Amino acid sequence: MLDASDAHIGQIMGLIRTSLNIELDDPDLDLFDTGLADSLAVVMLIAAVEEWLAWVLPLEDFDLDNFRTARRLAEYLESTGALLRGAT
C-alpha cells in the first residue's frame, strides 16, 4: 500500500480527535494495542468517517487493521478513492 499524504493523515488525526476524543501525536500509534480504542470506538470512527466523506465504507473490504493507526486509515481511504470524493 502507498504511503498516505501528510494532509490526509492530519485530517484523520483530527477526525479521531473530534469523534473519539483521542489526541494523537504519532500517526503510527496503534489505537488498539495501547488500549485507546476498542470495538465501540471502531464503530464510532466508522460512523464519523462515513459522515465526513458522505460515503458508506464497503463492508466486503472491511479489515480491522485499517483502523489501527491514523496512517493506516488514511492509506486505506486513499486506496479506495474515498478521500478524493468528498473530504473537506
Side-chain angles (χ1 to χ4, degrees):
M1 191 175 289
L2 297 174
D3 287 339
S5 73
D6 290 341
H8 289 156
I9 292 169
Q11 289 174 316
I12 297 299
M13 290 174 74
L15 188 66
I16 291 170
R17 180 176 46 256
T18 58
S19 64
L20 302 179
N21 200 27
I22 298 172
E23 187 69 42
L24 296 177
D25 295 326
D26 178 0
D28 296 310
L29 183 71
D30 191 308
L31 297 171
F32 305 122
D33 286 348
T34 59
L36 291 171
D38 58 14
S39 57
L40 179 58
V42 171
V43 172
M44 292 171 59
L45 185 55
I46 290 169
V49 167
E50 289 181 338
E51 182 178 334
W52 175 52
L53 297 174
W55 179 66
V56 177
L57 295 171
L59 289 179
E60 62 273 5
D61 293 341
F62 185 79
D63 182 351
L64 187 59
D65 284 339
N66 291 328
F67 293 83
R68 288 192 167 278
T69 71
R71 183 180 311 277
R72 285 188 188 179
L73 182 52
E75 288 171 347
Y76 166 67
L77 293 174
E78 282 183 355
S79 75
T80 66
L83 290 174
L84 301 174
R85 281 195 275 281
T88 57

